[in-house]
């Protein structure tokens, strides 16, 4: 009867263990997926909030690589390696307690060898963190070459430079390969050193334990128990030393991500003005501007520019290439801030208006037509998703696009 009860209890425990393991794995994987998507979305949002000058200085391919590749590498490494590191660290503590209960002398000898063993992962972990940051930077540069090539494919084809772009991309990949070889050598050396030091520690413990048994300080049974505990303890130490550099590597790969998250946009805060009616009287008064932010005479694009755009009239800015015509429009859109002078809209400083309000009042037809990889309707209603069908058709007719849009499939 007792045997049947014991078997039933054992089966129940096994079933509960399997169910709990399933639930824990499910919750863990869902949580880590949620963290990954949240971090990726947060980085994307943080980058979008930056000033236009930030995008001028940061290549598109590099930004995409940071948001996608870096966040994915960081979340994968931290979700798997960090959890294992914490688990083995807890196991390390419990085993140390059991070893201490068997023999404090041999435990002391074990602990004396730990600082030597821990020096290796600390040094390799620092190296992995440094090399990982360089690897991610190299990958970002390679992605930038690919992004530029695909986005300017007509230019590449017109100059018959496919082989040149292929060679440039190959050189970037070779740089990454060289860094990964250094990383592989460091990992192999670290693993070998860890194995040798733990083996030396085991030999010392067996020798010292045999001496204690001969002296009668510990029994042979206690020595066997201690050795069994020490074997598991050594495996826990090896696991900690193996996963610690991986966690440091993930930290190195995530440095740029958190740099984006912590970066504050270098632009003045949005104003508060949002009048119901706007006449559109624009005035530039002694405006000086330089894309580099410098105020030296030779770096200025606009030098004491003053002009007036009156409502209800057509005003044309005429000048040579790079004379600052497009720059005036960019300043009016508040993409950049002038180094000196001021821009007035209806007699009020431009920076006193709310950014979203200002961009709703200004319509710009640029020299290059930009189309997103979306439907025609989504392109027309970009920034105005609640537009009615009639408003969409009217906009298409005003742009002389309604006819050929009607001929498109679907």
């Amino acid at each position: 009867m007792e045997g049947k009860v014991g078997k039933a209890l054992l089966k129940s425990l096994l079933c509960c263990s399997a169910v709990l393991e399933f639930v824990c794995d499910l919750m863990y994987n869902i949580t880590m997926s949620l963290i990954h998507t949240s971090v990726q979305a947060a980085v994307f949002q943080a980058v979008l909030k930056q000033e236009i000058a930030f995008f001028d200085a940061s290549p598109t391919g590099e930004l995409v690589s940071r948001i996608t590749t870096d966040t994915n590498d960081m979340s994968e490494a931290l979700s798997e390696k960090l959890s294992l590191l914490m688990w083995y660290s807890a196991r390390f503590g419990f085993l140390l307690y059991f070893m201490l209960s068997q023999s404090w002398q041999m435990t002391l000898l074990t602990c004396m060898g730990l600082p030597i063993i821990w020096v290796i992962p600390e040094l390799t972990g620092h190296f992995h963190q440094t090399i990982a940051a360089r690897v991610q930077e190299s990958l970002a540069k390679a992605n930038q070459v690919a992004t530029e090539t695909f986005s300017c494919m007509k230019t590449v084809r017109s100059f018959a430079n496919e082989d040149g772009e292929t060679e440039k991309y190959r050189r970037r990949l070779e740089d990454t390969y060289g860094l990964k070889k250094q990383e592989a050598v460091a990992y192999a050396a670290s693993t070998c050193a860890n194995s040798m030091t733990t083996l030396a520690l085991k030999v010392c413990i067996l020798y010292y334990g045999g001496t204690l048994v001969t002296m009668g300080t510990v029994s042979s049974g206690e020595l066997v128990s201690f050795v069994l505990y020490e074997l598991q303890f050594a495996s826990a130490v090896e696991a900690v030393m193996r996963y610690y550099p991986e966690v440091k590597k993930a930290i190195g790969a995530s440095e740029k991500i958190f740099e984006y998250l912590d970066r504050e946009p270098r632009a003045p805060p949005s104003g508060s003005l949002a009048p119901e009616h706007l006449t559109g009287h624009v005035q530039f008064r002694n405006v000086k501007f330089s894309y580099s932010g410098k105020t030296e005479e030779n770096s200025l694009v606009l030098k004491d520019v003053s002009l007036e755009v009156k409502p209800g009239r057509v005003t044309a800015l005429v000048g040579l290439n790079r004379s600052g015509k497009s720059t005036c429009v960019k300043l009016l859109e508040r993409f950049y801030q002038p180094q000196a002078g001021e821009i007035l809209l209806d007699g009020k400083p431009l920076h006193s208006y709310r950014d979203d309000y200002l961009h709703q009042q200004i319509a710009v037809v640029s020299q290059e037509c930009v189309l997103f990889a979306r439907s025609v309707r989504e392109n027309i209603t970009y920034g105005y998703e609640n537009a009615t069908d009639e408003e969409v058709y009217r906009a298409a007719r005003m742009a002389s696009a309604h006819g050929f849009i009607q001929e498109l499939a679907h």
Side-chain angles (χ1 to χ4, degrees):
M1 186 67 180
E2 291 180 358
K4 292 182 178 179
V5 173
K7 289 180 180 179
L9 181 61
L10 180 60
K11 290 179 181 179
S12 300
L13 289 174
L14 289 174
C15 290
C16 290
S17 175
V19 171
L20 287 174
E21 184 177 1
F22 169 77
V23 172
C24 289
D25 287 343
L26 180 64
M27 292 177 61
Y28 177 79
N29 286 305
I30 291 176
T31 302
M32 294 316 303
S33 298
L34 179 61
I35 291 175
H36 170 61
T37 53
S38 299
V39 170
Q40 201 164 28
V43 176
F44 184 76
Q45 185 181 31
V47 171
L48 283 185
K49 289 182 178 179
Q50 303 304 317
E51 72 280 4
I52 297 296
F54 168 81
F55 295 94
D56 294 339
S58 304
T60 304
E62 181 177 343
L63 291 176
V64 173
S65 178
R66 299 297 186 188
I67 295 172
T68 56
T69 306
D70 286 18
T71 54
N72 186 62
D73 291 346
M74 180 194 71
S75 60
E76 284 186 0
L78 292 182
S79 63
E80 180 183 355
K81 303 299 189 300
L82 183 59
S83 63
L84 289 172
L85 179 64
M86 295 171 63
W87 189 84
Y88 278 109
S89 297
R91 187 179 182 185
F92 169 88
F94 282 112
L95 288 170
L96 186 63
Y97 169 77
F98 290 129
M99 289 165 58
L100 192 62
S101 65
Q102 294 295 321
S103 172
W104 67 268
Q105 297 99 324
M106 288 188 289
T107 305
L108 180 61
L109 175 63
T110 304
C111 293
M112 289 173 63
L114 288 181
I116 301 174
I117 299 175
W118 277 338
V119 167
I120 298 171
E122 181 62 34
L123 294 176
T124 56
H126 178 71
F127 179 76
H128 275 145
Q129 183 176 353
T130 304
I131 202 73
R134 294 174 60 191
V135 167
Q136 297 303 123
E137 183 179 352
S138 179
L139 284 172
K141 290 180 179 178
N143 287 340
Q144 170 63 15
V145 173
T147 303
E148 286 181 345
T149 302
F150 295 144
S151 61
C152 305
M153 196 60 212
K154 292 180 181 178
T155 304
V156 174
R157 185 63 55 82
S158 65
F159 283 88
N161 196 37
E162 293 91 341
D163 293 339
E165 293 297 334
T166 302
E167 178 63 21
K168 187 175 181 180
Y169 187 64
R170 187 186 62 80
R171 287 198 301 268
R172 293 295 188 188
L173 292 180
E174 284 182 351
D175 293 340
T176 306
Y177 174 64
L179 291 172
K180 284 187 172 292
K181 283 197 296 184
Q182 297 179 29
E183 188 178 11
V185 170
Y187 178 78
S190 172
T191 303
C192 180
N194 290 340
S195 300
M196 294 299 293
T197 50
T198 52
L199 178 62
L201 180 61
K202 292 176 184 178
V203 171
C204 292
I205 289 173
L206 286 174
Y207 177 79
Y208 183 61
T211 304
L212 292 177
V213 171
T214 304
M215 296 171 57
T217 306
V218 297
S219 65
S220 57
E222 289 175 333
L223 176 60
V224 173
S225 299
F226 185 88
V227 170
L228 292 175
Y229 283 135
E230 199 277 332
L231 289 174
Q232 298 184 55
F233 181 79
S235 66
V237 171
E238 289 177 358
V240 170
M241 290 190 298
R242 182 169 65 253
Y243 293 123
Y244 179 72
E246 294 294 327
V247 173
K248 295 282 282 187
K249 175 185 173 182
I251 294 173
S254 64
E255 284 181 352
K256 201 69 177 180
I257 296 174
F258 288 103
E259 182 180 321
Y260 289 159
L261 288 173
D262 295 336
R263 191 181 189 276
E264 293 293 333
R266 296 169 186 171
S270 177
S272 58
L273 287 181
E276 186 174 349
H277 300 289
L278 194 69
T279 58
H281 185 200
V282 177
Q283 294 173 286
F284 279 59
R285 292 182 178 176
N286 301 318
V287 173
K288 292 183 178 181
F289 174 74
S290 168
Y291 285 102
S292 64
K294 299 178 181 179
T295 56
E296 288 80 1
E297 193 72 17
N298 57 353
S299 63
L300 290 175
V301 178
L302 301 179
K303 304 175 183 178
D304 294 320
V305 172
S306 296
L307 59 89
E308 186 175 5
V309 180
K310 295 182 179 180
R313 296 185 182 181
V314 176
T315 302
L317 295 180
V318 182
L320 297 174
N321 190 25
R322 298 180 62 84
S323 61
K325 305 183 298 296
S326 298
T327 301
C328 290
V329 178
K330 292 175 182 178
L331 290 176
L332 184 59
E333 291 187 89
R334 284 201 71 194
F335 288 165
Y336 304 93
Q337 305 301 318
Q339 275 75 48
E342 62 178 349
I343 303 174
L344 303 178
L345 179 59
D346 284 358
K348 304 289 180 59
L350 190 67
H351 59 77
S352 62
Y353 290 87
R354 274 178 23 208
D355 282 344
D356 56 345
Y357 171 81
L358 187 66
H359 292 132
Q360 287 173 359
Q361 306 304 317
I362 299 176
V364 178
V365 180
S366 61
Q367 295 173 342
E368 296 180 0
C369 181
V370 177
L371 287 176
F372 292 95
R374 304 165 191 176
S375 68
V376 175
R377 180 186 177 88
E378 287 179 297
N379 274 279
I380 294 176
T381 61
Y382 187 78
Y384 185 37
E385 286 76 11
N386 298 324
T388 63
D389 290 345
E390 183 56 36
E391 288 176 316
V392 173
Y393 296 149
R394 185 168 66 251
R397 292 189 186 98
M398 291 174 66
S400 301
H402 185 70
F404 75 80
I405 290 176
Q406 292 284 59
E407 297 175 359
L408 295 175
H410 310 298

